[in-house]
């Protein structure tokens, strides 16, 4: 039995007249009668009471009508739902740590949207460690952070090492200097962020002091980068920011580079190890394009 038999049968059962059903189906009446006969032969019993005017269904015919209608609707649903699969929007979510928002992240997101206009892109702020969990749970597809981590299910790509800068109150004697060292900051109150959760960018800075045999005199915790800069503007201390934070220029604060090239913060991209989708490949490629365009030093990894 073919779907065609069902459509023809339902048309005749609806019209209760073979001639009108044939007109509705745009086929010749003898051809329609043959198809109904074929169906009855296949089932081995009559579906219509012969000679009745208008045509009446037999008991088997009524049973067949109910179920044939369901089958036809299911087949229509199958066709439309399958066609829709190609149209369903893909989703892509990037997790990021706040400080990346002041640098290249907006450009990365803009280019990704341009390259994949049909993809529903979302951005979610979260710590590097939250990104690892979210990647494993499948709630994000790529994470951008600064804290190194190890997880067998996560692929970590070091995108670049971003230089660090000191943020100093504009009226502080250190603001007179063109460049600074971490040692210069030791007598000052060092404002660290984010406050929680740890390990975070704050620990990266403390480690940089420690690696050089130094320790900041006094530390104060701030919730995030913007708050930290606000405290610097208020003369409460000094802080260390990634260079991309230069976009956050504010009155009362000056930024000074360090005279040591190795004072950097990693920019890390995290992905699920098994994920080599066109989206993650394209994301990495467009980040490298931006670096090349902007002359940003980096080492490229391949998939
Ligand atoms: C970057 O600053 O290098 C960066 C920021 C966000 C995403 C990718 C790269």
């Amino acid at each position: 039995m073919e779907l065609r038999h069902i459509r023809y049968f339902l048309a005749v059962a609806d019209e209760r007249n073979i001639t009108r059903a044939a007109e509705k189906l745009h086929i010749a009446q003898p051809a329609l009668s043959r198809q109904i006969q074929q169906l009855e032969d296949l089932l081995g019993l009559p579906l219509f009471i012969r000679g009745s005017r208008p045509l009446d269904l037999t008991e088997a015919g009524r049973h067949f009508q109910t179920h044939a209608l369901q089958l036809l609707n299911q087949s229509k649903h199958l066709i439309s739902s399958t066609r829709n699969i190609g149209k369903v929007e893909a989703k892509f979510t990037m997790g990021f740590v706040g400080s990346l928002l002041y640098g290249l992240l907006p450009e990365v997101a803009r280019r990704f949207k341009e390259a994949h206009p049909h993809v529903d892109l979302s951005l979610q702020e979260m710590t590097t460690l939250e990104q690892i969990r979210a990647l494993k749970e499948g709630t994000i597809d790529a994470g951008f952070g600064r804290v190194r981590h190890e997880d067998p299910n996560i692929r970590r790509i070091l995108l670049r090492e971003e230089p660090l800068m000191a943020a100093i109150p504009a009226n502080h004697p250190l603001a007179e200097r063109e460049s600074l060292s971490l040692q210069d900051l030791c007598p000052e109150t060092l404002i660290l962020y984010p406050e929680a959760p740890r390990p975070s960018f704050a620990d990266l800075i403390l480690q940089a002091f420690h690696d050089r045999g130094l320790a900041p005199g006094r530390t104060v915790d701030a919730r995030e980068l913007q708050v930290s800069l606000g405290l610097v503007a208020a003369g409460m201390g000094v802080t260390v920011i990634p260079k991309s934070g230069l976009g956050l220029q504010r009155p009362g604060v000056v930024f000074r580079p360090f005279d040591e090239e190795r004072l950097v913060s990693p920019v890390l991209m995290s992905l699920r190890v098994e994920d080599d989708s066109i989206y993650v490949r394209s994301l990495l490629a467009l980040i490298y394009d931006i670096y090349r365009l902007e002359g940003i030093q980096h080492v490229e990894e391949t998939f």
Side-chain angles (χ1 to χ4, degrees):
M1 184 172 60
E2 317 241 344
L3 271 180
R4 182 185 69 244
H5 289 118
I6 292 177
R7 273 197 309 114
Y8 290 175
F9 163 81
L10 287 173
V12 177
D14 263 5
E15 293 296 328
R16 301 182 69 188
N17 180 295
I18 264 255
T19 312
R20 280 202 304 274
E23 281 167 10
K24 194 171 151 188
L25 293 166
H26 304 292
I27 60 171
Q29 187 200 317
L32 179 57
S33 300
R34 263 198 313 280
Q35 294 289 325
I36 298 295
Q37 189 58 54
Q38 260 181 20
L39 181 60
E40 289 180 327
D41 290 349
L42 192 102
L43 293 167
L45 40 77
L47 295 168
F48 295 96
I49 300 170
R50 292 285 174 267
S52 55
R53 297 272 183 281
L55 265 180
D56 268 334
L57 288 164
T58 60
E59 194 185 339
R62 282 197 298 279
H63 171 88
F64 191 79
Q65 185 186 30
T66 308
H67 295 278
L69 199 58
Q70 287 170 4
L71 197 61
L72 197 67
N73 286 339
Q74 277 175 7
S75 81
K76 283 181 186 160
H77 175 73
L78 178 64
I79 290 168
S80 67
S81 63
T82 306
R83 282 188 178 141
N84 277 340
I85 284 175
K87 292 184 202 151
V88 166
E89 278 196 346
K91 283 181 184 292
F92 195 90
T93 305
M94 299 180 196
F96 66 96
V97 294
S99 66
L100 293 173
L101 203 53
Y102 309 118
L104 296 179
L105 184 65
E107 174 72 357
V108 169
R110 196 185 57 70
R111 283 186 182 233
F112 185 88
K113 275 169 83 81
E114 212 170 80
H116 306 286
H118 61 287
V119 174
D120 179 13
L121 174 68
S122 342
L123 297 181
Q124 275 180 30
E125 190 197 350
M126 54 179 76
T127 66
T128 312
L129 293 177
E130 284 168 343
Q131 289 171 25
I132 305 305
R133 199 175 327 128
L135 278 165
K136 290 201 271 191
E137 286 168 359
T139 49
I140 64 168
D141 303 288
F144 297 104
R146 294 189 182 274
V147 177
R148 293 179 202 271
H149 55 80
E150 295 297 336
D151 189 301
N153 300 303
I154 301 298
R155 176 172 177 193
R156 187 182 73 192
I157 299 175
L158 173 63
L159 291 175
R160 65 176 175 128
E161 303 266 26
E162 185 179 9
L164 295 175
M165 312 267 300
I168 314 284
N171 58 1
H172 193 286
L174 286 178
E176 310 281 308
R177 304 256 302 272
E178 279 198 0
S179 64
L180 300 172
S181 67
L182 278 190
Q183 184 145 30
D184 294 327
L185 303 188
C186 285
E188 311 300 326
T189 297
L190 180 68
I191 303 163
L192 292 168
Y193 60 89
E195 203 166 2
R198 307 296 272 263
S200 71
F201 185 71
D203 299 287
L204 193 125
I205 302 305
L206 288 174
Q207 188 65 45
F209 277 89
H210 185 259
D211 290 347
R212 288 155 185 81
L214 302 169
R218 182 169 170 254
T219 61
V220 166
D221 288 330
R223 200 167 43 78
E224 46 119 7
L225 174 54
Q226 292 266 27
V227 177
S228 194
L229 289 177
L231 292 175
V232 175
M236 306 303 290
V238 299
T239 193
V240 178
I241 63 159
K243 194 174 169 193
S244 51
L246 278 179
L248 292 171
Q249 294 279 0
R250 53 179 302 156
V253 180
V254 295
F255 299 110
R256 292 290 175 261
F258 286 105
D259 49 20
E260 190 191 328
E261 263 189 18
R262 281 183 311 118
L263 265 178
V264 289
S265 153
V267 178
L268 302 161
M269 176 170 167
S270 303
L271 303 170
R272 281 181 285 276
V273 265
E274 76 283 4
D275 189 355
D276 66 347
S277 68
I278 53 158
Y279 299 123
V280 295
R281 283 168 179 269
S282 143
L283 180 59
L284 187 61
L286 67 84
I287 291 169
Y288 289 153
D289 279 349
I290 297 174
Y291 288 169
R292 275 184 240 119
L293 206 72
E294 308 241 341
I296 294 176
Q297 210 181 336
H298 66 287
V299 176
E300 297 193 6
E301 261 192 45
T302 46
F303 259 90

Coordinates of all heavy atoms in Angstrom, one line a residue, residues 92-96 122-124 126-128 130-144 270 272 275:
F92 N 25.6 29.2 19.6 CA 27.0 29.1 20.0 C 27.1 30.1 21.2 O 26.7 31.2 21.1 CB 27.9 29.5 18.9 CG 29.3 29.2 19.1 CD1 29.8 27.9 18.7 CD2 30.2 30.0 19.7 CE1 31.2 27.6 18.9 CE2 31.5 29.7 20.0 CZ 32.0 28.5 19.5
T93 N 27.7 29.6 22.3 CA 27.8 30.4 23.5 C 29.3 30.5 23.9 O 30.0 29.5 23.9 CB 27.0 29.8 24.6 OG1 25.6 29.7 24.2 CG2 27.0 30.7 25.9
M94 N 29.7 31.7 24.1 CA 31.1 31.9 24.6 C 31.1 32.4 26.0 O 30.4 33.3 26.4 CB 31.8 33.0 23.7 CG 31.9 32.8 22.3 SD 32.7 34.2 21.4 CE 32.3 33.8 19.7
G95 N 31.9 31.7 26.8 CA 32.1 32.2 28.2 C 33.4 33.1 28.2 O 34.3 32.8 27.5
F96 N 33.4 34.1 29.1 CA 34.6 35.0 29.1 C 34.7 35.6 30.5 O 33.8 35.7 31.2 CB 34.4 36.1 28.0 CG 33.3 37.0 28.4 CD1 33.6 38.2 29.1 CD2 32.0 36.8 28.0 CE1 32.5 39.1 29.4 CE2 31.0 37.6 28.4 CZ 31.2 38.8 29.0
S122 N 25.6 33.8 21.9 CA 25.5 34.5 23.2 C 26.8 34.5 23.9 O 27.7 33.7 23.7 CB 24.5 33.7 24.2 OG 23.7 32.8 23.6
L123 N 26.9 35.5 24.8 CA 28.2 35.7 25.6 C 27.8 35.7 27.0 O 26.8 36.2 27.4 CB 28.8 37.1 25.3 CG 29.3 37.4 23.9 CD1 29.8 38.8 23.8 CD2 30.3 36.4 23.4
Q124 N 28.6 34.9 27.8 CA 28.2 34.8 29.3 C 29.5 35.0 30.1 O 30.5 34.4 29.9 CB 27.8 33.4 29.6 CG 26.3 33.2 29.3 CD 25.8 31.8 29.7 OE1 26.4 31.1 30.5 NE2 24.8 31.3 28.9
M126 N 31.9 34.6 33.0 CA 32.1 33.6 34.1 C 33.6 33.4 34.3 O 34.4 33.8 33.4 CB 31.5 32.3 33.7 CG 31.8 31.7 32.3 SD 31.0 30.1 32.0 CE 29.4 30.6 31.6
T127 N 34.0 32.9 35.4 CA 35.5 32.7 35.7 C 36.0 31.6 34.8 O 35.2 30.8 34.2 CB 35.7 32.3 37.1 OG1 35.1 31.0 37.3 CG2 35.1 33.3 38.1
T128 N 37.3 31.5 34.7 CA 37.9 30.4 33.9 C 37.5 29.1 34.4 O 37.2 28.2 33.6 CB 39.5 30.5 33.9 OG1 39.9 31.9 33.7 CG2 40.1 29.6 32.9
E130 N 34.8 28.3 36.0 CA 33.3 28.1 35.7 C 33.2 27.7 34.2 O 32.3 26.9 33.8 CB 32.5 29.3 36.0 CG 32.2 29.5 37.5 CD 31.7 30.9 37.8 OE1 31.8 31.9 36.9 OE2 31.2 31.1 38.9
Q131 N 34.1 28.2 33.4 CA 34.0 27.9 32.0 C 34.3 26.4 31.7 O 33.7 25.8 30.9 CB 35.1 28.7 31.2 CG 34.7 30.2 31.1 CD 35.9 31.0 30.5 OE1 36.7 30.5 29.8 NE2 35.9 32.3 30.9
I132 N 35.2 25.8 32.5 CA 35.6 24.4 32.4 C 34.3 23.6 32.7 O 34.0 22.7 31.9 CB 36.7 24.0 33.3 CG1 37.9 24.9 33.2 CG2 37.1 22.5 33.2 CD1 38.5 25.0 31.8
R133 N 33.6 23.9 33.8 CA 32.4 23.2 34.1 C 31.4 23.3 33.0 O 30.8 22.4 32.6 CB 31.9 23.6 35.5 CG 31.0 22.7 36.1 CD 30.5 23.1 37.5 NE 31.5 23.8 38.3 CZ 31.3 25.0 38.9 NH1 30.1 25.5 38.8 NH2 32.2 25.5 39.5
A134 N 31.2 24.6 32.6 CA 30.1 24.9 31.6 C 30.4 24.2 30.2 O 29.5 23.7 29.6 CB 30.0 26.4 31.4
L135 N 31.7 24.0 29.9 CA 32.1 23.3 28.7 C 31.7 21.9 28.8 O 31.1 21.3 27.9 CB 33.6 23.4 28.4 CG 34.0 24.7 27.7 CD1 35.6 24.9 27.8 CD2 33.6 24.8 26.3
K136 N 32.0 21.3 30.0 CA 31.7 19.9 30.2 C 30.2 19.6 30.2 O 29.7 18.6 29.8 CB 32.4 19.3 31.4 CG 33.9 19.3 31.2 CD 34.6 18.4 32.2 CE 35.0 19.1 33.5 NZ 35.9 18.3 34.3
E137 N 29.5 20.6 30.7 CA 28.0 20.4 30.8 C 27.3 20.8 29.5 O 26.2 20.6 29.3 CB 27.4 21.3 31.9 CG 27.7 20.8 33.3 CD 27.4 21.8 34.4 OE1 27.0 22.9 34.1 OE2 27.7 21.4 35.6
G138 N 28.1 21.3 28.6 CA 27.6 21.7 27.3 C 26.8 23.0 27.3 O 26.1 23.3 26.3
T139 N 27.0 23.8 28.3 CA 26.2 25.1 28.3 C 27.0 26.2 27.6 O 26.4 27.3 27.3 CB 25.8 25.5 29.7 OG1 27.0 25.4 30.6 CG2 24.7 24.6 30.3
I140 N 28.3 26.0 27.4 CA 29.0 27.0 26.5 C 29.8 26.1 25.5 O 30.0 24.9 25.7 CB 30.0 27.9 27.3 CG1 31.1 27.2 28.0 CG2 29.2 28.8 28.3 CD1 32.2 28.1 28.5
D141 N 30.3 26.8 24.4 CA 31.0 26.1 23.4 C 32.5 26.5 23.3 O 33.3 25.8 22.8 CB 30.3 26.4 22.0 CG 28.9 25.9 22.1 OD1 28.6 24.7 22.1 OD2 28.0 26.8 22.2
A142 N 32.8 27.6 23.9 CA 34.2 28.1 24.0 C 34.3 29.0 25.2 O 33.4 29.7 25.5 CB 34.6 28.8 22.7
G143 N 35.5 28.9 25.8 CA 35.7 29.8 27.0 C 37.0 30.6 26.8 O 37.9 30.1 26.2
F144 N 36.9 31.9 27.2 CA 38.1 32.7 27.2 C 38.5 33.2 28.6 O 37.6 33.8 29.3 CB 37.9 33.9 26.3 CG 37.6 33.6 24.8 CD1 36.3 33.6 24.3 CD2 38.6 33.1 24.0 CE1 36.1 33.2 23.0 CE2 38.4 32.7 22.7 CZ 37.1 32.8 22.2
S270 N 39.4 27.8 25.8 CA 39.2 26.5 26.2 C 38.0 25.9 25.4 O 37.0 26.6 25.1 CB 38.7 26.4 27.7 OG 39.7 27.0 28.5
R272 N 36.0 21.9 24.2 CA 35.9 20.4 24.5 C 36.8 19.7 23.6 O 36.9 20.0 22.4 CB 34.4 19.9 24.3 CG 33.4 20.3 25.4 CD 32.1 19.8 25.0 NE 31.4 20.6 24.0 CZ 30.8 21.7 24.2 NH1 30.6 22.2 25.4 NH2 30.2 22.4 23.2
D275 N 35.6 18.5 20.3 CA 34.9 19.5 19.4 C 35.8 20.0 18.3 O 36.8 20.8 18.6 CB 34.4 20.6 20.3 CG 33.4 21.5 19.5 OD1 33.3 21.3 18.3 OD2 32.8 22.4 20.1

